[in-house]
Amino acid sequence: MSVTSPLLQASDACVLEGLRAIVGEKACIEVASDMQPFTTDYRKLYHGKALAVVLPADTQQVSAVLALCFEHNIPVVPQGGNTSLMGGAVPDGAGNAVVLNLRRMNQVQEIDLLNDTMTLQAGVTLQAARAAAEDAGRLFPLRIGSEGSCQIGGNLSTNAGGTAVLRYGNMRDLTLGIEAVLPDGRIYSSLRGLRKDNTGYDLKQLFIGSEGTLGIITAAVLKLMPLPTASAVAWVAVDNPHAAVELLTEAKRVAGQAVTAFELISGPALTLVLESMPQLSAPLPAAHDWMVLIELTSGGDAESLDAMLMGILEQGMERGLVTDAAVAASLADARAFWMLREEISDAQTRAGGSIKCDISIPLSKIADFIAVASAQVLALAPDARMVIYGHMGDGNVHFNPLRPKDVTPALFLAENYARVSHAVDGLATRQNGSISAEHGIGVAKRDDLLDCKSSVELELMWQVKRALDPKHLLNPGKVLPGLPGTA
Ligand code: MLT
Ligand code: ZN
């Protein structure tokens, strides 16, 4: 809808007219209340403003929007499903940016069964991509809790990971080519579906994981895998994170590639979900400090996979690693176990006041990291609920201390956010870990890069930014700390 305010500058009015001409009146949102869902982030922590929100229908329209904005020096914030946990997909409060949302670009364009690839537009949701692959008899293996809302473009721009990275890798590993529009409107394409291509720099990798700061990804060619024919799932109580790592090693020894997911869940994380969704029930009769969710999958028969899982659990019990276990007897059981795991993130959002640290550490150090980081956090915030969970199989823990029940989210975060995340991230950095394993940097972690990247890394990042986005218009204020030229 177009309602041009009399307070708009003449150049803004000219840009708005141009945007309407490109995407059509209905796909150019200009009323503040209608823009609000696009200018507020998923966790409702960042409330920005925009000149307009545009919803282009195809790559040519994205290109025309970017060329127009380039000409008029208008910042552009790319947005997919707006599920960023780091405030990476919303504009700041200046009100001068255009939000470019890709949700209308939601076509699966080709499934090539002989090449085992899928070509699709960036606005396809992850759920729709997985369903399209499955309808064609293939697996697209990226699996994350927000799959119904998050989009392939956002998955690519944050190099999303999730619960099956252990087996299949993250978005970088699953991508053969992309199409991206550059800030001046030029279109880069590597949509060729090649598994081998050594013709110079692998440019697509610059755009993957760059959170829309270098170009806007509009399409991709993704790898497809064989659909598994069998799965075996267990919810397992372990003595402590050290025991979990030992159990993972045992699982990989027995089941090799079949180990698809290995998720760690702390007692407080499960309690939070059960309190927030009383209709769900705990898989085990007693409460435990530490649990893991193990999933094996294969293209073979269910009996041999079940036998492998039982073998892993028996070994675990014999060695004192496992204290109790529930094996899913049906698909419904398996889904119920997974729901408990996948609801942790939303339960935290509902509770408010959680400090989201997204750490990766070599597996050999992860258990010690959890112990030391927990002690440091509890020294700073003694009553914090230690919501610790995540993809232990690939060395990624979501280390998210949560406010005590009798402290408001605002007070808990004001008192603890900076010092707790500084302590946890600092410990990870000193151990050669990462402060953002899979959630990206956005605005929330931007300045923390100053503490964990070398001056050479930061300068190279800025040099790449300047080369691709010389006017500094794409997703400004995200990822790169410091001012242009000062890093
Ligand atoms: C998850 O593993 O559940 C996601 O990364 C989301 C989150 O940690 O909040
Ligand atoms: Zn995760």
Side-chain angles (χ1 to χ4, degrees):
M1 171 194 269
S2 86
V3 181
T4 306
S5 151
L7 298 175
L8 276 179
Q9 294 185 355
S11 60
D12 287 346
C14 159
V15 170
L16 289 172
E17 201 181 311
L19 292 173
R20 282 179 224 127
I22 294 165
V23 298
E25 294 248 342
K26 279 194 186 143
C28 183
I29 303 168
E30 297 167 44
V31 176
S33 56
D34 295 342
M35 288 195 268
Q36 201 254 331
F38 302 89
T39 54
T40 304
D41 76 308
Y42 169 74
R43 296 176 69 211
K44 314 262 182 292
L45 295 177
Y46 299 94
H47 304 274
K49 286 189 196 141
L51 179 65
V53 176
V54 293
L55 302 128
D58 56 32
T59 303
Q60 293 310 322
Q61 288 189 5
V62 176
S63 163
V65 167
L66 287 193
L68 179 75
C69 290
F70 189 79
E71 188 191 335
H72 293 271
N73 299 316
I74 301 285
V76 178
V77 177
Q79 188 178 79
N82 197 11
T83 57
S84 169
L85 297 168
M86 295 292 127
V90 288
D92 63 18
N96 61 342
V98 168
V99 175
L100 190 151
N101 184 294
L102 289 125
R103 73 175 180 210
R104 284 176 74 207
M105 295 177 54
N106 60 2
Q107 298 304 305
V108 175
Q109 293 162 320
E110 187 192 19
I111 292 188
D112 181 342
L113 290 178
L114 294 179
N115 198 38
D116 273 324
T117 50
M118 168 163 71
T119 305
L120 71 188
Q121 289 181 305
V124 176
T125 64
L126 176 57
Q127 192 171 56
R130 283 174 56 90
E134 195 168 335
D135 289 348
R138 295 289 188 278
L139 175 73
F140 178 63
L142 189 79
R143 218 164 65 180
I144 54 184
S146 58
E147 68 167 41
S149 334
C150 68
Q151 297 170 9
I152 293 299
N155 299 151
L156 282 161
S157 75
T158 54
N159 183 27
T163 53
V165 169
L166 174 60
R167 168 86 178 258
Y168 296 106
N170 52 25
M171 206 55 182
R172 237 182 244 294
D173 304 307
L174 298 172
T175 305
L176 293 179
I178 63 159
E179 176 188 77
V181 182
L182 303 180
D184 59 7
R186 283 178 298 156
I187 299 170
Y188 155 81
S189 177
S190 59
L191 294 176
R192 291 190 295 274
L194 303 176
R195 284 177 173 75
K196 286 189 156 183
D197 178 15
N198 282 352
T199 52
Y201 301 151
D202 188 357
L203 294 174
K204 69 174 180 294
Q205 298 296 359
L206 271 183
F207 298 95
I208 300 173
S210 67
E211 301 183 44
T213 59
L214 302 178
I216 299 185
I217 297 174
T218 44
V221 183
L222 304 177
K223 292 181 193 169
L224 297 178
M225 313 288 170
L227 264 178
T229 50
S231 73
V233 176
W235 186 280
V236 185
V238 289
D239 218 23
N240 50 43
H242 286 97
V245 176
E246 294 277 332
L247 187 67
L248 171 62
T249 306
E250 177 63 15
K252 289 193 285 199
R253 189 187 66 76
V254 172
Q257 282 272 307
V259 188
T260 305
F262 193 95
E263 297 282 309
L264 180 75
I265 299 129
S266 71
L270 178 61
T271 304
L272 180 70
V273 173
L274 294 173
E275 282 174 359
S276 147
M277 302 183 79
Q279 71 275 27
L280 304 182
S281 43
L284 298 171
H288 298 273
D289 288 343
W290 295 102
M291 292 147 282
V292 292
L293 177 55
I294 307 179
E295 180 173 291
L296 309 182
T297 62
S298 81
D301 60 282
E303 290 72 27
S304 17
L305 214 55
D306 289 345
M308 271 184 205
L309 183 60
M310 292 313 291
I312 295 164
L313 296 178
E314 275 162 21
Q315 264 295 315
M317 284 194 171
E318 238 166 69
R319 291 174 52 193
L321 308 171
V322 170
T323 50
D324 199 1
V327 175
S330 63
L331 215 53
D333 279 355
R335 283 207 187 105
F337 291 0
W338 270 110
M339 180 169 278
L340 290 168
R341 161 62 189 90
E342 282 171 353
E343 285 296 328
I344 298 172
S345 181
D346 280 352
Q348 286 179 94
T349 304
R350 282 192 291 276
S354 95
I355 301 171
K356 291 197 83 77
C357 299
D358 172 30
I359 298 301
S360 67
I361 289 279
L363 267 168
S364 41
K365 297 183 188 160
I366 201 165
D368 285 340
F369 170 84
I370 291 172
V372 177
S374 298
Q376 288 189 4
V377 169
L378 288 171
L380 294 168
D383 298 323
R385 287 174 276 177
M386 299 304 280
V387 177
I388 301 169
Y389 63 102
H391 322 296
M392 180 172 248
D394 58 56
N396 177 194
V397 275
H398 300 310
F399 195 98
N400 297 346
L402 178 69
R403 70 177 172 92
K405 283 182 188 167
D406 57 355
V407 178
T408 62
L411 184 63
F412 181 72
L413 294 180
E415 280 182 352
N416 295 298
Y417 189 90
R419 58 186 188 167
V420 165
S421 58
H422 191 255
V424 176
D425 289 351
L427 186 64
T429 303
R430 287 193 297 281
Q431 301 208 352
N432 278 332
S434 167
I435 66 160
S436 178
E438 61 169 9
H439 292 166
I441 296 297
V443 71
K445 291 263 169 209
R446 182 195 60 200
D447 295 336
D448 300 334
L449 287 191
L450 292 169
D451 298 327
C452 67
K453 294 268 181 203
S454 68
S455 55
V456 172
E457 286 173 301
L458 289 170
E459 187 48 35
L460 284 174
M461 281 171 68
W462 269 114
Q463 282 175 353
V464 171
K465 172 73 173 171
R466 286 190 206 104
L468 271 82
D469 183 14
K471 290 188 173 186
H472 194 45
L473 293 176
L474 272 192
N475 216 4
K478 315 293 165 39
V479 183
L480 295 118
L483 292 169
T486 63

